[in-house]
Amino acid sequence: MASTSTVSNASATTGGRLLVDALTANGVDRVFCVPGESYLDVLDALHAHADIDVVVAKHEGAAANMAEADGKLTGRPGICFVTRGPGATHASIGVHIAQQDSTPLILFVGQVPTRELGREAFQEIDYQSMFGGIAKWVVSIDDAARIPELVARAFACATSGRPGPVVLALPEDVLSAACPSAPAAVAPAVAGGPDPDAAPRLREMLAQARRPLVILGGSNWSEPAASDFSAFIQAWNLPVACAFRRQDIFDNRRPQYAGHLSLGMNPELAELVRDADLVLAVGTRLGEIATGGYTLLTPPRPAQKLIHLHADAAELGRVYQPDLAIQSAPAKAAALLRGLEAPASRAWDDWTRRAGELHARYQVVPAPHAEARGVDLGRVVAHLDRALPDDAIVANGAGNYAVWLHRFYRYRRPRTELAPTCGAMGYGLPAAIAAKLRHPDRTVVCVSGDGCFLMYPQELATALQFGSAVVVIVVNNGMYGTIRMHQEKRFPGRVSATDLRNPDFVALALSFGAHAERVESAEAFPAAFERACAAGRPALLELRTDPRQITPQSWLAGHG
């Protein structure tokens, strides 16, 4: 680290200013943060950069979720700044989401001065030990002069291969240190392309199949890539099942759409996977949920022939040993597939028709239970499906309420589904806020359970402060529904720790300055939703649902 005495006034800057210059050079236009004294020099440098929007969340976990959602929407690293110790531990949820969702994210964390490292100083954490298992790269910047180099490497690491999170620790004295001005480095992402020699073998295997199934997933699907993939499916007429919470890559209205490989999976879809003689997995890791706990495809060698295309070579063969492995980022994989000449005749057309029909049957909203009271969530989601424009962005966290959303809402365009594949509660509201800031001209809806919403309700203040006019739908059934469902299966009638005593959600939202209404029936929802969308500010609709209707098919008979 250069000392102050060796730096001329003409060329002097500070580590904090170098860092913000590096962000600007790498195209950053927005950062999410909760301020902390450990990175005051960065905050001061941001003051001079009006081209970077600084969004201040009320909780570090929410700030990290906002940055992760921004990374999903843009394909560029979402940027989050938090202070050391508690700030970093709170923000770790965003890093874990980014890892499992393959989202580019850079978390900058304040750190104690270098002279105090290793002494367990106030709020000191060893970030390499803490984040090493869930981040692609963790580094402490201990020399201010290396900031441009290491920030550029962080951007390249977060976006290359399988995208993911990077964590950079920032000791206080490095940020305040005087150092020579230096041009900010820019390191482009490295996107792997397929081996062209694989195309003939790929086409041959597909053409010889009788019951092929495409499993689609992964991150960073642009509009052009999704269009190329759709053209391939149209030409070949192959059935498509989307991996867990990756439904927005392929238009769910298409006749080839077979459904969603999700929690509470359609049994007929599960049977379709088992019956397939060839699986073409594109972009997806073929994780636990999409494979029904690794039972629909059994590792290491599934009964079905397997062609696996993925951006990261390390994922090819990690769980499943494919018959044909192709390393390729989504855009180049889709272009390869689109270029495959379709056969003159297809042996699987009836098979594809069966797949589309089973999804159409599954998507019909069932009648509520005869004793049900309150809002029928199936009818609410069906209205959203009819009313929302194709480019609307829908965000959610985790909970049984999401089963209705993912089953009855049809996603149409890429980057319109913000939902954590790691099942993190509380994600929906911060993600929706980030989405509305990124796309202020589009409708953004957060669907949240009552327990999920209560993880970060204070972020309504962030939405009001920064003009993020999201519509929040809170599904209030007075319990942690997913846990209650499993509890009733294993310990029927023995309710423990799963009841919720909720606040008045409408009064809470009004106290922040949001528009808010309580909805007591499905019939009242369309008009209330229209008023919420027209409010011109953040809006919350509380839906009182029957706690006994635990899923679209399941009813808790013993619940009072």
Side-chain angles (χ1 to χ4, degrees):
M1 182 174 64
S3 66
T4 305
S5 60
T6 62
V7 179
S8 69
N9 290 333
S11 62
T13 187
T14 66
R17 292 175 192 160
L18 268 184
L19 178 57
V20 175
D21 288 343
L23 295 180
T24 300
N26 282 277
V28 172
D29 60 2
R30 176 169 293 125
V31 302
F32 301 90
C33 74
V34 174
E37 63 180 289
S38 60
Y39 67 96
L40 280 173
D41 287 271
V42 174
L43 295 176
D44 183 69
L46 285 167
H47 184 271
H49 280 261
D51 53 334
I52 297 181
D53 185 22
V54 180
V55 179
V56 183
K58 307 304 171 280
H59 189 284
E60 290 92 351
N65 284 348
M66 291 175 190
E68 194 277 345
D70 201 49
K72 273 193 174 85
L73 291 168
T74 65
R76 305 187 305 270
I79 305 298
C80 183
F81 280 89
V82 295
T83 196
R84 63 199 188 200
T89 53
H90 284 161
S92 64
I93 179 60
V95 177
H96 185 238
I97 294 171
Q99 180 217 14
Q100 291 223 325
D101 286 39
S102 302
T103 304
L105 171 76
I106 302 177
L107 177 67
F108 293 94
V109 186
Q111 179 59 295
V112 301
T114 52
R115 65 181 178 277
E116 297 175 7
L117 287 170
R119 294 175 172 174
E120 198 181 338
F122 178 63
Q123 297 184 334
E124 181 185 359
I125 287 179
D126 180 342
Y127 295 119
Q128 180 64 58
S129 297
M130 177 181 173
F131 290 108
I134 57 174
K136 291 185 70 176
W137 183 46
V138 183
V139 68
S140 177
I141 303 180
D142 297 330
D143 180 352
R146 294 191 65 191
I147 286 175
E149 167 202 345
L150 296 176
V151 170
R153 181 178 169 188
F155 274 86
C157 182
T159 54
S160 298
R162 176 186 170 188
V166 170
V167 179
L168 272 66
L170 309 170
E172 281 186 61
D173 55 328
V174 173
L175 295 177
S176 62
C179 57
S181 294
V186 178
V190 178
D195 180 353
D197 292 340
R201 174 63 175 150
L202 171 58
R203 186 189 181 281
E204 178 187 16
M205 291 181 67
L206 279 175
Q208 290 177 351
R210 293 296 178 266
R211 298 182 306 281
L213 177 66
V214 181
I215 298 180
L216 178 64
S219 67
N220 203 25
W221 281 87
S222 64
E223 290 267 8
S227 178
D228 279 348
F229 178 82
S230 183
F232 158 68
I233 294 299
Q234 179 70 25
W236 284 72
N237 193 35
L238 296 165
V240 177
C242 288
F244 183 51
R245 294 183 165 177
R246 303 296 195 184
Q247 292 158 274
D248 59 343
I249 306 173
F250 184 74
D251 190 336
N252 299 178
R253 300 168 299 184
R254 293 284 299 275
Q256 295 90 356
Y257 183 62
H260 181 212
L261 297 169
S262 63
L263 294 165
M265 191 184 305
N266 179 359
E268 288 185 287
L269 177 57
E271 194 62 28
L272 194 80
V273 179
R274 292 190 188 95
D275 287 348
D277 63 359
L278 180 141
V279 168
L280 171 62
V282 183
T284 176
R285 294 188 296 115
L286 294 172
E288 175 197 353
I289 295 174
T291 61
Y294 305 106
T295 62
L296 303 181
L297 284 80
T298 55
R301 294 286 294 181
Q304 308 88 333
K305 288 185 178 179
L306 176 61
I307 303 170
H308 196 178
L309 287 79
H310 197 277
D312 192 340
E315 292 298 329
L316 297 169
R318 185 162 78 111
V319 178
Y320 295 100
Q321 298 168 6
D323 297 272
L324 177 61
I326 302 174
Q327 182 187 3
S328 180
K332 295 182 179 182
L336 171 71
L337 294 171
R338 182 171 188 168
L340 296 178
E341 181 183 357
S345 62
R346 298 177 300 238
W348 55 80
D349 280 352
D350 286 344
W351 163 261
T352 300
R353 184 165 48 253
R354 170 193 162 192
E357 288 172 351
L358 73 85
H359 172 254
R361 288 195 302 272
Y362 191 64
Q363 207 200 14
V364 174
V365 178
H369 192 278
E371 298 177 19
R373 59 179 184 266
V375 178
D376 178 1
L377 191 54
R379 291 173 62 190
V380 166
V381 176
H383 176 77
L384 294 176
D385 181 67
R386 293 189 301 269
L388 288 176
D390 288 359
D391 67 352
I393 299 171
V394 183
N396 65 272
N400 267 23
Y401 70 90
V403 174
W404 277 268
L405 177 63
H406 297 325
R407 176 171 170 181
F408 302 123
Y409 185 79
R410 293 175 296 177
Y411 297 86
R412 296 111 186 189
R413 287 177 52 180
R415 294 175 175 163
T416 57
E417 179 180 24
L418 294 176
T421 66
C422 74
M425 291 181 68
Y427 177 85
L429 178 56
I433 291 170
K436 189 65 175 178
L437 292 174
R438 181 57 60 188
H439 296 292
D441 57 329
R442 291 162 65 175
T443 303
V444 179
V445 178
C446 164
V447 182
S448 179
D450 44 356
C452 194
F453 176 75
L454 285 174
M455 293 284 172
Y456 297 118
Q458 69 275 15
E459 297 310 321
L460 281 175
T462 305
L464 266 295
Q465 180 179 353
F466 293 95
S468 179
V470 297
V471 177
V472 183
I473 298 171
V474 177
V475 181
N476 181 5
N477 66 355
M479 66 168 111
Y480 291 111
T482 303
I483 313 307
R484 175 66 62 80
M485 177 183 68
H486 292 293
Q487 190 172 65
E488 289 290 342
K489 288 178 179 177
R490 293 192 57 199
F491 307 103
R494 296 175 60 81
V495 176
S496 177
T498 51
D499 278 338
L500 283 171
R501 182 172 178 176
N502 286 322
D504 183 330
F505 288 113
V506 171
L508 178 65
L510 290 172
S511 75
F512 285 107
H515 171 91
E517 299 183 41
R518 182 171 296 112
V519 179
E520 304 281 1
S521 68
E523 291 79 9
F525 177 77
F529 183 69
E530 186 175 351
R531 289 190 293 270
C533 291
R537 64 185 190 276
L540 181 145
L541 299 177
E542 177 194 355
L543 311 186
R544 293 285 181 90
T545 62
D546 196 319
R548 296 171 293 181
Q549 192 74 60
I550 199 68
T551 73
Q553 298 91 9
S554 305
W555 179 262
L556 297 181
H559 187 82

